[in-house]
Amino acid sequence: MKVKHGFIGFGNLAKAVYQGLKDEADIEFAYYARNRKEVDIPFYERMEDLVTFADVVWLMVKPQDLSLILGELKQLNRAGKTIVSPVAGRTIAYIEHYLGTEQLIIRIMPNLAVAYRKSVTSFASNYPDNIKAVEIFHLLEKLGKAVALEEGGFDLFTAVFGSGPAFILSFIHIFKEKMQEFNLSGEQLDGLLLELTQGTTIYFTQNQKNHSIEQLIKNITSKGGTTQAGLDYFRTHEIGKHFKGVLDAARNRSEKMSKNED
Ligand SMILES: NC(=O)c1ccc[n+]([C@@H]2O[C@H](COP(=O)([O-])OP(=O)(O)OC[C@H]3O[C@@H](n4cnc5c(N)ncnc54)[C@H](OP(=O)(O)O)[C@@H]3O)[C@@H](O)[C@H]2O)c1
């Protein structure tokens, strides 16, 4: 029998999860949102009907909308259903506060690469050994790498792996801005940068088992050469420290969101 997955909210992340899982033979999907979206799965106009349909209920709304959703969900029959929440900064205890401690709740932190089955996703649950929780963990493994984590680690994990794609792209964007000196179109520049990032990823992939990242950087650096000059600037101006500041800012924001649970 097919497992029924229902999304409450169908924005960027729900779309990406659906994209990553839509070819799974044993899963059926539907969603509920205030407005119908352009997607070829059943749409329910009432949350109650979506919850009746679903075995697994995904909370796919923004953090500030979650309390409203949980207030409504609380009134509905949720017996035996699994609740999955990727909502940033909202703890299992926060969700239990509305749905009770009996409810199986799984908190995850994926990123948009779930669409290509290349997410890095953290996992925590109030019943981690429950067979249904284990099944969700295996499903997340299909969407990339999944790792079980204490909830205390979610804030840093969110900064590195949830927001990470945006930070890495911001870095690539700096390269692009620098390359404006060339008389090339934006599309051509993107193509070159894509090749650079893919080449770097393959270099990392092929060598990471036997070499540290420091060693891989060293292999590209000749003494007194151009890379050396750039890396010297990197160290002298503590670019790494500033970049860690970016990650700290994201982590602090996540911590703040977790504490201000209204
Ligand atoms: N995007 C990411 O990369 C990412 C990564 C990790 C975690 N997350 C988490 O995933 C959650 C969703 O993020 P997102 O980027 O997908 O957000 P999004 O694109 O803004 O989507 C939110 C969805 O919620 C629906 N919605 C809002 N209020 C609603 C209500 N009262 N009842 C029913 N549906 C409602 C919206 O549709 P209508 O307006 O039509 O109702 C929309 O489909 C967030 O909590 C975020 O922290 C996102």
Side-chain angles (χ1 to χ4, degrees), residues 121-163:
T121 307
S122 59
F123 167 102
S125 174
N126 52 354
Y127 296 99
D129 299 328
N130 182 301
I131 179 74
K132 290 178 181 172
V134 173
E135 278 167 14
I136 295 293
F137 186 80
H138 290 321
L139 199 63
L140 296 172
E141 285 183 314
K142 291 185 178 178
L143 293 172
K145 298 245 186 278
V147 54
L149 206 68
E150 291 292 323
E151 266 198 292
F154 265 59
D155 295 313
L156 179 57
F157 195 93
T158 303
V160 176
F161 294 107
S163 310

Side-chain angles (χ1 to χ4, degrees), residues 147-220:
V147 54
L149 206 68
E150 291 292 323
E151 266 198 292
F154 265 59
D155 295 313
L156 179 57
F157 195 93
T158 303
V160 176
F161 294 107
S163 310
F167 298 150
I168 292 173
L169 283 168
S170 298
F171 216 66
I172 295 170
H173 190 66
I174 296 169
F175 282 47
K176 183 171 178 179
E177 283 180 334
K178 201 67 195 157
M179 290 204 315
Q180 296 304 330
E181 288 177 23
F182 297 124
N183 197 16
L184 296 172
S185 70
E187 201 180 322
Q188 281 173 311
L189 291 178
D190 285 350
L192 298 182
L193 287 167
L194 194 60
E195 202 70 5
L196 172 70
T197 48
Q198 284 179 340
T200 308
T201 303
I202 294 172
Y203 172 56
F204 187 24
T205 311
Q206 300 279 323
N207 294 293
Q208 54 102 12
K209 277 213 171 75
N210 301 320
H211 302 279
S212 66
I213 292 180
E214 288 94 327
Q215 184 59 49
L216 295 182
I217 294 172
K218 238 184 201 162
N219 292 350
I220 311 169

Side-chain angles (χ1 to χ4, degrees), residues 8-14 32-37 47 59-63 65 68-69 86-88 108-112 162 257:
I8 296 182
F10 200 82
N12 296 310
L13 187 65
Y32 155 78
R34 289 169 302 187
N35 306 292
R36 187 186 287 270
K37 315 288 173 199
M47 189 195 292
L59 307 176
M60 297 303 224
V61 297
K62 293 283 190 203
D65 296 322
L68 187 79
I69 295 296
V87 179
I108 62 170
M109 181 45 63
N111 63 42
L112 282 180
M257 284 163 73

